[in-house]
Amino acid sequence: MINEDNGQVSLEYLLIFAVSIILLIAFTLPLAEMVLENSMDVSNSLNVKAELSKLSNAISLVYSEGQGSKQTVYLTLDEPINVKISNSYLSSSYKLNDGKYKDFKLNYNSNLNRGSLFLDKGENKIIVEWPVNDEKMIIYKKY
């Protein structure tokens, strides 16, 4: 009879252990998914800001070099975005996984006209130019 009691205790131990593992998994998987999405949002946001910073630096460089200067910038993005261009800053919004938007605004010196620039997913070739004998700088995407 002693052997039967040990067998029952082992079976109960295994059953309690299995239920504990199932409960642990049920609560930790959704949390792990949320943490993963948040970390991807941070990573993608930093990538967008870094790429927009490259564009801002190119605009400032062309403005500082004066008429006749030209700069080519290659921007690689994970998602398409629309960049609003002003004469003193550029701005954009990036949609996060939870549906909210992260706004970016980068300042620079230039004489650009107001406008917008749509950047596709993947690599984008952007030309920032100040033509000779022209009052204003221009910025465009080359296909």
Side-chain angles (χ1 to χ4, degrees), residues 14 19 34 41 65 73-74 76 82 86 88 90-91 93 97 113 115 118 124 126 131 133 136-137:
L14 287 174
V19 169
M34 184 179 68
D41 281 342
E65 290 178 352
V73 182
Y74 293 91
T76 305
N82 190 30
S86 174
S88 62
L90 56 88
S91 62
S93 294
N97 285 325
N113 288 326
F118 183 77
N124 297 276
I126 309 299
N133 298 326
K136 298 281 186 176
M137 295 170 49

Side-chain angles (χ1 to χ4, degrees), residues 5-72:
D5 289 339
N6 287 339
Q8 183 178 355
V9 171
S10 296
L11 181 63
E12 289 172 352
Y13 174 74
L14 287 174
L15 192 59
I16 291 171
F17 182 72
V19 169
S20 300
I21 293 294
I22 289 171
L23 288 174
L24 183 65
I25 290 172
F27 287 111
T28 57
L29 280 181
L31 291 174
E33 180 183 2
M34 184 179 68
V35 167
L36 183 63
E37 285 180 356
N38 288 342
S39 63
M40 289 300 294
D41 281 342
V42 169
S43 174
N44 291 339
S45 296
L46 288 174
N47 182 39
V48 169
K49 187 173 183 180
E51 296 300 305
L52 291 177
S53 180
K54 285 183 196 176
L55 182 58
S56 174
N57 290 338
I59 293 169
S60 292
L61 183 66
V62 169
Y63 182 73
S64 66
E65 290 178 352
Q67 290 183 347
S69 61
K70 180 179 180 179
Q71 184 80 19
T72 303

Side-chain angles (χ1 to χ4, degrees), residues 2 11 29 31 43 50 58 68 83 96 98 106 120 129 131 134 138:
I2 296 175
L11 181 63
L29 280 181
L31 291 174
S43 174
V83 179
L96 303 173
D98 61 359
L106 295 140
D120 296 315
E129 184 176 12
D134 204 347
I138 56 173

